[in-house]
Every structure is written in structure tokens, then in C-alpha cells.
């Protein structure tokens, strides 16, 4: 079946459950999952119910869409995302973003957990993503281009919306939350990086490294959505004093930062314009 038809079927399924006008979509990465609990008047739709949606397997991620009210806005939250290292192809990972756009949502907040490579960062910091480097070795737009979604060669000169970056910084100031800014590099994973890899990633300009987000950001850009990205720095990924890392540690630190992460995103949602 053609992509556009699959997207339509998924959208129509969601619309039958909730057809309110939605202002903002948010991908809840590690550490932001609890934002889902703050959404009111909500409809929860399991990914397994939605036609053509892939299903999530990774520890600590459920898989459901939550549509409801938050800080005076109607939002759609993706609780659980799909990762390349799980074995999905890039088109499958990003299918929900096509559906979100088809629902008429033009603003997307993406979040993730990442390793901090910038020496000025600390564990538990939040980093507003200003730009990215795609080192996943793949791109979700490889293959047939669907002109109905966007051009063959999409512009990426403003992948992360400047107004939204400034808005996020202002919101952080208002709440007295210190945020960092920087460049996110995505690798395929699932291995964490070796010291030699981290030295390279830092040298080429990365401030944080993770295994997600860039596929979704590319697809959202293809459709001219406005994107804000925020990373929770769960571990310091600095070659010269690298400590052994496991997923439990990442989740533990993400949980410690979750209150500030949730507060910041709520404030951003509140301050965002609806159109
Ligand atoms: N590397 C890659 N992905 C990550 C890391 C890391 O150090 N921390 C959280 N996700």
C-alpha cells in the first residue's frame, strides 16, 4: 500500500477516537514519560491499535498516543518511540510523524536522553538542541520521494526553529532552570560509544550524543513542521574519564531530572502560540 494511504488510515483511526484540533505534538523521550500523567481530558490510544503503526519494545518505553489538554493547549503526546537499533527501518520509525502532520499538527517537541560531550555540561542538565549531525548511517528519506509530503532535497538550514529555541530559553529563565544549548549527534547504537569514538564526535562539533530523534526531525522538516528539541544529559560522555555506562543508569539520572524537564516543557507549551 502507498505511504499516503497508510498515513490516511492511521489518521482516520485516530480521528474516530478524538477529532479535536491539536496544537502541539510531543515525543516523550526517556525522562519525560511522566508528562503523560499531567494531560487532562485525555484519550489514550495504544500503538498496537493504530493501523500501520510499528510497536515499541525497548525497556522503559510503553507505546501509546495520549491526546488531551495541557496548560491550555490541546496536545498529542507519543509515549514511547521507535529506535533504529530495535531493527525497524527509518520509514517505520518516522511513520508516526507523517500521521501527526496529517492530523494538522505543525509544531513538534522532541525529547531524548543523551550523553554529554561538552566539558561545560553536567549530569542532569537539559540541553536545547540548536542543530544536529546525522551519523546514524541512514536517512528516512532515502528511496522514493513523496512529493505530497515534501521535496526530494529538503532544506535543513533551520532544522530546529529559532523562535522556539528562544521561547524555550525564555521559559527556562522564567522558571530559574539553567539550560544548555548545543549540537546533538545521533549514532545508530545500541552500543554506547568507545573513548575513541567520543573523541571524534566531540572534535567534529557534537555537544551531546544519542541514538534517536534525528530521523523524526528529518521527516518533520520534510513536511515543514516547526521543531523544538531538548536533550536530558544523563551521563558525561567524555573520552578521558569515561565511566562504564548501562541503560539503568541512564534511566536513573533521567528520572532525577524529570521534574525540571516536565516543568520546562509545560511552560513552553503554555507560552507557545496555538497556530
Ligand atoms: N551515548 C549514546 N546514547 C545515549 C547516551 C550516551 O552516552 N546516554 C543516553 N543515551
Amino acid at each position: 500500500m502507498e505511504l499516503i494511504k497508510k498515513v490516511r488510515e492511521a489518521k482516520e483511526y485516530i480521528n474516530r477516537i478524538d477529532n479535536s484540533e491539536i496544537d502541539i505534538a510531543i515525543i516523550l523521550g526517556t525522562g519525560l514519560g511522566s508528562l503523560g500523567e499531567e494531560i487532562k481530558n485525555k484519550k489514550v490510544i495504544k500503538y498496537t491499535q493504530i493501523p500501520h503503526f510499528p510497536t515499541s519494545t525497548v525497556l522503559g518505553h510503553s507505546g501509546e498516543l495520549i491526546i488531551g489538554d495541557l496548560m491550555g493547549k490541546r496536545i498529542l503526546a507519543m509515549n514511547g518511540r521507535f529506535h533504529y537499533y530495535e531493527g525497524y527501518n527509518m520509514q517505520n520509525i518516522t511513520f508516526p510523524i507523517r500521521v501527526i502532520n496529517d492530523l494538522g499538527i505543525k509544531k513538534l517537541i522532541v525529547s531524548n536522553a543523551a550523553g554529554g560531550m561538552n566539558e561545560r555540561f553536567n549530569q542532569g542538565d537539559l540541553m536545547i538542541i540548536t542543530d544536529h549531525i546525522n551519523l546514524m548511517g541512514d536517512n528516512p528519506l532515502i528511496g522514493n520521494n513523496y512529493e505530497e509530503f515534501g521535496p526530494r532535497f529538503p532544506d535543513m538550514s533551520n532544522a530546529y526553529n529559532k523562535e522556539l529555541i528562544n521561547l524555550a530559553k525564555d521559559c527556562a529563565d522564567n522558571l530559574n532552570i539553567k539550560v544548555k544549548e548545543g549540537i546533538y549527534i545521533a549514532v545508530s547504537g545500541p552500543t554506547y560509544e568507545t573513548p575513541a569514538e567520543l573523541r571524534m564526535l566531540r572534535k567534529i562539533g557534537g555537544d551531546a550524543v544519542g541514538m534517536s530523534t534525528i530521523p523524526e526531525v528529518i521527516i518533520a522538516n520534510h513536511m515543514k513542521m516547526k521543531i523544538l528539541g531538548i536533550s536530558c544529559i544523563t551521563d558525561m560522555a567524555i573520552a578521558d574519564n569515561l565511566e562504564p555506562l548501562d541503560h539503568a543508569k541512564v534511566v536513573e539520572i533521567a528520572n532525577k531530572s524529570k521534574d525540571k524537564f516536565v516543568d520546562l516543557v509545560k511552560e513552553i507549551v503554555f507560552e507557545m502560540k496555538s497556530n
Side-chain angles (χ1 to χ4, degrees):
M1 193 191 285
E2 264 194 273
L3 179 62
I4 184 101
K5 283 210 178 111
K6 290 186 183 170
V7 169
R8 266 308 121 74
E9 284 187 6
K11 169 195 139 154
E12 281 162 10
Y13 180 84
I14 293 164
N15 271 161
R16 279 199 291 278
I17 293 169
D18 186 292
N19 70 0
S20 56
E21 199 172 308
I22 302 167
D23 304 302
I24 304 159
I26 308 177
I27 301 180
L28 307 180
T30 310
L32 202 57
S34 60
L35 187 75
E37 291 155 27
E38 313 235 356
I39 300 171
K40 305 280 184 281
N41 302 319
K42 62 186 168 194
K43 304 262 172 58
V44 178
I45 311 172
K46 292 242 178 311
Y47 293 160
T48 48
Q49 293 170 241
I50 307 172
H52 314 297
F53 252 56
T55 44
S56 183
T57 60
V58 75
L59 233 66
H61 294 264
S62 37
E64 59 196 20
L65 289 186
I66 306 170
I67 301 175
D69 300 328
L70 184 75
M71 305 299 283
K73 300 273 165 39
R74 193 76 179 159
I75 68 157
L76 176 151
M78 276 188 73
N79 191 19
R81 65 141 64 85
F82 305 103
H83 298 87
Y84 192 54
Y85 60 74
E86 292 176 85
Y88 301 108
N89 66 36
M90 289 257 168
Q91 284 75 22
N92 288 340
I93 292 172
T94 53
F95 180 77
I97 309 301
R98 297 289 194 198
V99 176
I100 285 168
N101 179 73
D102 212 43
L103 286 163
I105 308 168
K106 282 308 205 181
K107 295 206 183 86
L108 178 67
I109 302 176
V110 291
S111 63
N112 58 46
M117 299 190 291
N118 185 318
E119 307 71 28
R120 287 191 289 271
F121 290 1
N122 295 297
Q123 227 181 28
D125 276 351
L126 299 178
M127 182 191 91
I128 298 171
I129 303 175
T130 54
D131 204 349
H132 77 215
I133 299 175
N134 177 16
L135 285 186
M136 295 182 93
D138 200 350
N139 188 304
L141 292 172
I142 289 176
N144 193 10
N145 185 58
Y146 299 92
E147 289 290 327
E148 56 272 48
F149 293 117
R152 171 74 286 186
F153 301 108
D155 174 49
M156 290 291 281
S157 62
N158 274 299
Y160 299 83
N161 185 269
K162 292 213 171 63
E163 275 173 42
L164 293 182
I165 290 171
N166 287 330
L167 180 85
K169 289 200 283 187
D170 290 345
C171 289
D173 275 351
N174 293 344
L175 297 174
N176 258 320
I177 296 172
K178 288 200 173 51
V179 286
K180 305 288 202 284
E181 287 175 67
I183 293 169
Y184 176 84
I185 297 186
V187 293
S188 72
T191 42
Y192 291 118
E193 297 69 37
T194 64
E197 286 166 343
L198 289 175
R199 243 171 243 123
M200 173 193 75
L201 297 175
R202 180 70 183 136
K203 243 180 216 157
I204 65 171
D207 296 294
V209 56
M211 306 174 191
S212 68
T213 304
I214 288 184
E216 292 105 316
V217 167
I218 289 173
I219 290 300
N221 259 284
H222 189 227
M223 300 181 296
K224 297 250 177 302
M225 297 174 76
K226 289 185 177 161
I227 299 151
L228 175 69
I230 307 175
S231 295
C232 177
I233 304 299
T234 51
D235 51 279
M236 288 313 291
I238 290 180
D240 292 332
N241 45 40
L242 191 60
E243 286 175 17
L245 180 62
D246 60 43
H247 185 63
K249 251 186 226 172
V250 168
V251 172
E252 184 196 322
I253 303 299
N255 275 332
K256 282 195 185 147
S257 293
K258 77 175 184 209
D259 290 345
K260 119 177 130 172
F261 207 167
V262 166
D263 285 350
L264 177 61
V265 172
K266 279 166 68 181
E267 180 78 1
I268 292 167
V269 166
F270 180 74
E271 294 291 343
M272 262 190 183
K273 292 189 222 104
S274 321
N275 51 31

